[in-house]
Amino acid sequence: MKNYDIVIIGGGPAGLAAAVSAKENGIESILILERDKELGGILNQCIHNGFGLHTFKEELTGPEYAGRFIEQVNELQIEYKLHTMVMDIRADKVITAMNREEGLFEIQAKAVILAMGCRERPRGALNIPGYRPAGIFSAGTAQRLVNMEGYLPGREVVILGSGDIGLIMARRMTLEGAKVKVVAELMPYSGGLKRNIVQCLDDYGIPLKLSHTVVDIQGKERLEGVTLAEVDGKGKPISGTEEFYSCDTLLLSVGLIPENELSGGMGVELNPVTSGPRVNESLETNIEGVFACGNVLHVHDLVDFVSEEAKAAGKNAAMYVKSEGITDRPASDKGKKPCVRLKATDGVRYTVPETIHVDRMADTLTVRFRVGGVYQNCFISAYFDDERVIHKKRPVVAPGEMEEIKLTKEQLEKYPDLEMITVKIEEA
Amino acid sequence: MEERNLICINCPMGCALAVTMNGTEVVKVSGNTCKRGDIYARKEVTNPTRIVTSTIRVTGGDESMVSVKTKEDIPKGKIMDCVKALKEVTLNAPVCIGEVILENVADTGTDIVATKNVRAV
Amino acid sequence: MYDYDVIIIGAGVSGSAIARELSRYKVNACVLEREEDVCCGTSKANSGIVHAGYDAPIGSMKAKMNLRGNAMMEQLSKDLDFPFFRNGSLVICLDKKDMPRLQELYDRGVANGVWGLQILMKEEVKEREPNITDEVYAALYAPTGGIVCPFGLNIALAENANTNGVEFRFHTEVQKIEKSEEGFILHTSQGDYRAGYVVNAAGVYADHFHNMVSDQKIHITARKGDYFLLDKSAGKHVSSTIFALPGIYGKGVLVAPTAHGNLLVGPTAIDIPNKEGTNTTREGLDQVLAKAGMNVKNLPMRQVITSFAGLRAHEDQDEFIIEEVEDAKGFIDCAGIESPGLTSCPAIGELVADMLRDKMRLEEKEEFIATRKGILNPETLSKEERIELIKNNPAYGNIICRCEMITEGEIIDAIRRPLGARSLDGVKRRTRAGMGRCQAGFCSPRTMEILARELKVDMQDVTKSGGASKIVVGVNKDTI
């Protein structure tokens, strides 16, 4: 069995940034396992621009953004295996993987970084009634067909879901010659960025119908049309509002789910809200030495934040490996000293991380979260037990955009008996 | 005097902007809650531009398509002309990130460059 | 004109089981199927249940076939290598007042010859199935109840029939049947066929073909059932098949593990005029949702990965019609094959083959091959065997479907074997690639490439399920 200090599961943006960071923090023995034919993950099919404004201070396309990190991985001579599927990870960090050349093989890691990303929610998860013909794609599948393989999935398109992938695909399909008839969104607001609504829909005269959903799918072999209807406040279709759109293609952009089957299999505890692992300030899961970052942890909207999070995970994994053998290393004091718990409430759906060991945290810790609705002129507040310590005014917050607060070690050290930090939205 | 309505794209606020125009001259921007809205509105009504990204077929490579973009943003009205100009282009691998694929696409003064490496096989 | 001794209309489980049993004999037989593959009608969208046999009226053909089919299934699953498990079934009684009806089922089962039936009281039920509702009063336990992969069963039967010489013609729709001197002329979308004997195993269309040759009309109604399929993470929610006690609330829905470890919830029972109406409906899905939790608690309906609808071929007399048509000698009906049709199919195959053997004085073939090896599932191998397999054939080291962990090797096998897959759905039914939680989002472009390569067709000609179901319609910028 081969041994590595750190094995990274997934060579997408999270895995790449984690690898670079682990190397820069002094770990030599690193392996990235990637199931696809190349590094870069889903960025390779995101050929649109808008990536990297935070990380590189310039606007890049997905492949270019991935390319920057791949270059670093190559320069740092970090080892990786492509076409390699991880079949199983055990709690003792033995990884079983498979590829054509090496067959089925095991690797022992000292630390594991989970960076498997996410998958799209399929039609079935939405219970859309109707037939099941060809021509129904998740937006990402269509994106791969068009951008990587050069095939057009259809000519007349309806898109359900106004998440960013759906909006981006509306423009892509238009520019490749398809007619995008309408984008329907179940919620009364779009889950995508304003910029994408303007530049992907408005630029091409594609209507966006909020509070609408698909209520029927017609066509036995190839899709022939869909029926849209308006929904009420509870998301139930309103009878009498049905409208038929003839089309040969329905793209679904209805949400992403972190891919945590491997994590679950090894005993990593998951948060039902994010479907991602529960982590502490080090982005470490309930299994010591197993870290998570990127979309497998919680779904991000900007890759820049994935890279930032992965950088922290890589650094923390490096510190974990380097502290091996030291009996009083901070990682082993779980249970001795109670950690600070974070609670999400009043419009805040979750926080990453969920616990903080103050002695182990970096000088500044970013707590990321999402809100459950659109709030205008509100405050994002953090209470240290009963005392309100952070009270940040925000003109608007929305579920489509990830929020954050920063905590400093200095600040937390002032509250030695702190048990709980409550993060909430407070209306003005 | 003519008024044009826009949605600001700079942040999730999505301010509804109203731009008062006198011919091609911007007289007033209202509805914005910050300076960025004003800048965006003035550019968008006088000279709206976009980066265009697309794909081009490649032969002899480890990929059958390569992604490309306009090196700088081009006038919004030229987007379709730009895409049409790419229709007939086929490349031979290898292709490198940043390589100029097509100069002065659709007379925009901007080049089309590759955004991905494709190795020859 | 194509000439055969026997033509079977329909390549569902009935037609395929008949073809397989008939292939024991020296006979020139052919199956005509209007779809692109076997298992495309009722056989592909049902509960996958092997019934114990207490439902059907005493002495009925349904009861007879059910018991015989149930008894044959285990050996058949070994001979033909398809997934079958005897997981037992429970009929849940929620109210003491309803006990007479549970007792009635028990008595009928005993009269039908069902082995091992037991009425369990609440504690015993809860012990066996902790997720049964706390409202449970008692349950009828049938240890002989089972679950089978309907695709696996259908495909195994057809493959084995084909290996033993029965031909299968796909995309061949029978349009008109005429009686002739030597039997029947079948006019199809692919030319004319002549046969001395015709077996009508046409599912919801069996009445249509029967009525072409007989003055004694029969009538089949398409009875729609909507289902939810849940992720494998929910597959162990129950271990037995959980039925509702039919009664005042109408027929309830069942909750059952599938032979591949998912959880199935459904079906509805709605009679529809359209025999092509395999669409799910809002009303149907809502009905299943409303009834789902009646007998089983904490059903994780958030884990639904797909919903689908199937049509049962319900005959007006509520009975299987498996007999030679009186006024059309040589035309054998196999009609009204709804539940327990899947369970019964091995027995139906045997019965019809026996009928034909006797009428046609068929002789047994010495070279009949009674067993068939299914697609190799590498997960059933030891680690060493799997390493060896990949060494010999690297395609088994290449995972295509991430959710079900299906390799390229399995997909190639599915395409190359007898009556191999021709479409994404064909691959899916044979290997489960695309049947998992992402519902083919990741693997369909890859499976399309393999299909295109193996079948030597363009990517643009790869279909989801044959015919006009093409997946991509052109190339980038082809119309601008």
Side-chain angles (χ1 to χ4, degrees), chain A residues 144-151, chain B residues 57 64-65, chain C residues 445 449 459:
Chain A
R144 183 188 159 100
L145 284 167
V146 177
N147 291 352
M148 309 277 288
E149 310 196 9
Y151 292 106
Chain B
R57 212 158 282 280
S64 49
M65 304 300 289
Chain C
E449 276 171 36
M459 277 280 276

Side-chain angles (χ1 to χ4, degrees), chain B residues 11-47:
Chain B
C11 83
M13 273 290 274
C15 292
L17 308 177
V19 188
T20 312
M21 309 272 295
N22 189 0
T24 55
E25 189 195 342
V26 176
V27 180
K28 195 181 92 183
V29 175
S30 61
N32 56 313
T33 40
C34 74
K35 181 76 188 149
R36 290 191 297 169
D38 187 84
I39 297 169
Y40 169 73
R42 285 173 195 278
K43 174 102 193 307
E44 191 64 12
V45 294
T46 51
N47 179 26

